[in-house]
Amino acid sequence: MDHRTKTIAYYISDYGFGHATRSLAVIRSLCGQKGIRVIICHAFAYDFISQSLAEWIGTGKVEMRKISNDFGYVLLPHSLAPDYNQLTTKCRQFINELSSVVQREVEFLEDHQVNLVIGDIPPAPFKAARILSIPSIGLSNFTWFTAYKDLLSDADLCQFYDCYKDMDYFFALAGSNEPAWGRKGNKTFDFFSRPPQLDTVHKIRKSINPNGAQTIVFFGLGMKIEAGNLAAYKLWSSPNCIFLVSHNMNIEGENIHKIPADDTESQNYIAASDVVISKPGWGTIAEAVSCHKSLILVTRDNMQEDKNTIDYLLNNGGCSLVEWEELRDFEVTSDLKRKLEKQKRGPIRDSEKVLNDLVEEIKAILFE
């Protein structure tokens, strides 16, 4: 490795795929820069990330490290609502192991001569970076400190706060409503995502909707959500609609098309859709907004992250909402389609420009 090459340790949350997909957008951009090597520290979507970055792994640009960073939310079965008891149990276990995890990361960062830590948004790496005086960037629309604020006790929360206060910089993403993290500064960035591959998008649309007469609806609740008996949902009988769903969804039908399990580029399927139905996860929303798609969001109580993202969208182009309890009887009607067409995305900036600006800020800190 060239002695002038700088090394970034990039820590990605293990809760679902949303953190992974937006991190991929950033990492791919970083891989296009000279003098940068990225070590990805992550477990849950390890294979997904490895496949997505296959062209750079083994070239000296990207190294994969399989390590679990955090536990995210714990939900009640067949629900989007948190399981308070299980969440508290997992949190206490996490806190009990926190000091040893920080020490493990201190040793890792030293051994690999890391020059910059980026976290989206596991807590421990920021404390390890501070101990070694390695600059760190938190990059997210939320932290687990604010996500758990109404779910955990103050005594438990303070352990998360203690980690996040060690961030040198905080890059707040669209919808963020966080304290003034960042000992040395903070910046805000709008939605961004992996750019769709237009040839692939065209093929998807021609394959499932050859005459263009139907509305293509992307339906995604995330890989960690148990949706219950999907076959009982009225959604699938929505007039003149065909559906794109993830491969793990237990639903079949002539108008239902599953995304292949080995296809990592979900943004292409969102770009091929006319309407996107999703929980308010930042990654899916960013892909939909970047492609100027109409949004229907499934709301859930006690999730501050969701409320912040929804408020941001309502103030910047709009979205339609459906409560989780109403989803079983929800349909995409002609009336609803007309309302969805009124959603406007004017103030939201171009995804590519946002991503370029973000990477330039990372480089400025890395090569300072």
Side-chain angles (χ1 to χ4, degrees), residues 45-331:
Y46 183 91
D47 292 341
F48 169 82
I49 293 172
S50 298
Q51 186 179 341
S52 299
L53 297 173
E55 66 183 287
W56 284 293
I57 293 173
T59 67
K61 295 293 288 185
V62 174
E63 181 181 321
M64 297 293 297
R65 176 191 180 216
K66 197 167 193 176
I67 192 89
S68 183
N69 295 308
D70 51 20
F71 60 90
Y73 295 111
V74 185
L75 305 179
L76 293 166
H78 310 305
S79 173
L80 292 182
D83 184 328
Y84 291 92
N85 292 332
Q86 285 295 317
L87 184 65
T88 299
T89 299
K90 278 190 172 282
C91 174
R92 298 270 166 83
Q93 181 183 350
F94 182 83
I95 289 169
N96 287 338
E97 298 170 356
L98 187 57
S99 61
S100 62
V101 169
V102 170
Q103 184 54 38
R104 180 194 69 197
E105 295 314 302
V106 166
E107 293 170 8
F108 170 80
L109 296 174
E110 276 191 312
D111 289 346
H112 290 78
Q113 299 179 317
V114 169
N115 304 103
L116 174 66
V117 166
I118 299 178
D120 181 2
I121 183 80
F126 301 114
K127 186 157 286 297
R130 178 78 186 277
I131 290 169
L132 295 171
S133 298
I134 296 171
S136 63
I137 302 171
L139 195 162
S140 184
N141 58 312
F142 74 102
T143 60
W144 292 117
F145 169 73
T146 49
Y148 295 151
K149 204 155 193 180
D150 297 326
L151 308 176
L152 299 176
S153 70
D154 288 345
D156 292 333
L157 281 170
C158 74
Q159 301 294 323
F160 292 91
Y161 181 87
D162 193 48
C163 290
Y164 289 125
K165 71 176 175 55
D166 283 337
M167 288 188 285
D168 287 324
Y169 302 92
F170 184 61
F171 290 180
L173 304 183
S176 177
N177 185 18
E178 290 287 313
W181 303 117
R183 299 184 314 114
K184 297 181 179 179
N186 51 67
K187 291 185 177 293
T188 59
F189 295 91
D190 219 322
F191 288 110
F192 64 87
S193 72
R194 299 167 295 168
Q197 298 148 329
L198 298 183
D199 286 349
T200 303
V201 172
H202 179 71
K203 286 175 185 174
I204 294 168
R205 287 186 66 88
K206 290 297 288 183
S207 171
I208 65 174
N209 189 25
N211 60 9
Q214 294 176 294
T215 299
I216 304 174
V217 180
F218 179 96
F219 180 82
L221 294 180
M223 299 297 279
K224 296 242 179 178
I225 306 297
E226 295 178 31
N229 182 17
L230 283 167
Y233 284 28
K234 289 185 178 179
L235 179 67
W236 318 118
S237 59
S238 298
N240 298 315
C241 287
I242 49 180
F243 297 89
L244 285 168
V245 302
S246 59
H247 67 89
N248 67 317
M249 283 197 170
N250 187 24
I251 181 69
E252 304 290 341
E254 285 187 9
N255 64 336
I256 297 170
H257 303 269
K258 291 190 176 181
I259 299 170
D262 61 351
D263 194 333
T264 60
E265 305 300 313
S266 62
Q267 77 277 17
N268 290 331
Y269 294 88
I270 286 179
S273 304
D274 302 301
V275 176
V276 173
I277 301 176
S278 171
K279 69 179 177 64
W282 197 96
T284 302
I285 289 173
E287 290 176 353
V289 167
S290 297
C291 295
H292 306 285
K293 302 301 172 181
S294 298
L295 266 172
I296 301 170
L297 299 180
V298 183
T299 61
R300 49 188 178 178
D301 294 330
N302 301 313
M303 297 290 193
Q304 190 59 48
E305 171 199 348
D306 291 2
K307 293 174 185 173
N308 293 338
T309 305
I310 289 168
D311 286 346
Y312 183 88
L313 285 168
L314 291 175
N315 290 322
N316 291 275
C319 60
S320 292
L321 306 176
V322 55
E323 292 184 15
W324 171 260
E325 294 75 16
E326 298 173 350
L327 188 58
R328 186 185 178 96
D329 296 316
F330 179 79
E331 291 182 273

